[in-house]
Amino acid sequence: MRKPDAEAVLVEIKHLSRERRRAVSRRAWRQMGRTQWVLAGPLVVVVVFFVVALTVYPPLYVLFGTSVPGLVNDAGDKGPVSTGEKVKALGIWIPWMLVLGYAVWASVRRRLLRPYLAIDKVGVWPVFGGRIRDGLAWPQIAAIHVVAEGDATSVPATEATRPFVELFPTNAIKTSGPATPLDAMVVNAQAPAPKLHGKRYVIELAGPPSGLDGAIERFAPGKRLVRE
């Protein structure tokens, strides 16, 4: 995943609704085959076991020694625990907690950061957590329509609230393949112009679409859809 280019025009977008995120998650789960489920199940169990064990057992070993069920000293006995053994346990636990803490912090930070839309010379990219997560290059885009407050659109008000950006791909949107963030933004409505598909990506903006029309004309002349 890369960051947007320095010359990209950025505009804040709304967070995906819980319902749309769940729909994409359900699609991803449905696309997993029997073999993937068979392989993923035991792997998840092993990962959870090691995460819990590395988080819980070292401090318990330091505090209570071998009195904790399942724990033994270096000699393999339920005997006393030396200071060196306690230091060794802390030497494992402290770096692990730093790694785990950073992973949790990074995940929370990505969720709290405001997502935005980046338009540059390469294409149009939704950005989540400061990184491009999905998007389309200009050759993959048949037209792009910036819908401000009061502008005409065939997208029902129940599907999206102005302002937003309509992204019409050159190829029809498919429901197969790996689920992506753009899949949570699909809206099916009447096509606004000939040769455009009715199913398009609708990206809701968090504020006025300042500079987007100019960016489209600069980076991809002729791609901007203008409705009378």
Side-chain angles (χ1 to χ4, degrees), residues 1 25 34 37 40 42 47-48 61-62 68 80 88 99 102 112 119 125 139 152 155 167 180 185 189 193 222 228:
M1 294 183 291
S25 297
R34 183 184 299 273
W37 278 105
V47 170
V48 170
Y61 186 71
V62 172
V68 179
K88 187 186 297 184
V99 172
Y102 175 80
L112 294 179
I119 298 180
W125 318 101
V155 175
L167 201 57
T180 66
M185 306 175 186
E228 300 297 336

Side-chain angles (χ1 to χ4, degrees), residues 3-10 118-123 138 215 218-219:
K3 292 183 178 181
D5 295 336
E7 62 179 357
V9 175
L10 309 176
I119 298 180
D120 59 19
K121 62 183 179 182
V122 181
W138 287 118
R218 176 156 58 98
F219 293 124

Side-chain angles (χ1 to χ4, degrees), residues 3-176:
K3 292 183 178 181
D5 295 336
E7 62 179 357
V9 175
L10 309 176
V11 60
E12 290 186 358
I13 62 177
K14 294 180 180 178
H15 287 280
L16 296 175
S17 67
R18 182 176 299 177
E19 291 76 14
R20 290 183 178 271
R21 292 199 305 270
R22 286 178 176 174
V24 173
S25 297
R26 286 194 296 268
R27 171 182 162 183
W29 285 112
R30 286 196 301 267
Q31 289 175 345
M32 290 183 65
R34 183 184 299 273
T35 302
Q36 291 174 305
W37 278 105
V38 171
L39 294 175
L43 181 61
V44 170
V45 172
V46 170
V47 170
V48 170
F49 171 79
F50 275 102
V51 169
V52 173
L54 287 172
T55 303
V56 175
Y57 276 109
L60 290 178
Y61 186 71
V62 172
L63 294 174
F64 305 106
T66 58
S67 62
V68 179
L71 295 182
V72 296
N73 58 22
D74 281 353
D77 301 324
K78 281 287 187 178
V81 178
S82 66
T83 302
E85 290 173 327
K86 293 181 179 181
V87 171
K88 187 186 297 184
L90 287 176
I92 296 173
W93 184 70
I94 292 175
W96 163 249
M97 291 305 298
L98 291 174
V99 172
L100 183 62
Y102 175 80
V104 172
W105 172 82
S107 177
V108 172
R109 178 177 178 271
R110 283 195 299 268
R111 289 181 176 274
L112 294 179
L113 282 176
R114 169 67 71 178
Y116 54 90
L117 187 69
I119 298 180
D120 59 19
K121 62 183 179 182
V122 181
V124 180
W125 318 101
V127 179
F128 298 93
R131 300 281 181 175
I132 291 174
R133 294 284 305 278
D134 199 4
L136 296 176
W138 287 118
Q140 299 173 297
I141 299 173
I144 180 171
H145 183 209
V146 180
V147 181
E149 293 288 349
D151 287 352
T153 178
S154 59
V155 175
T158 55
E159 294 288 346
T161 304
R162 298 178 180 84
F164 55 77
V165 173
E166 294 178 278
L167 201 57
F168 298 89
T170 54
N171 298 323
I173 297 174
K174 299 180 179 179
T175 56
S176 60

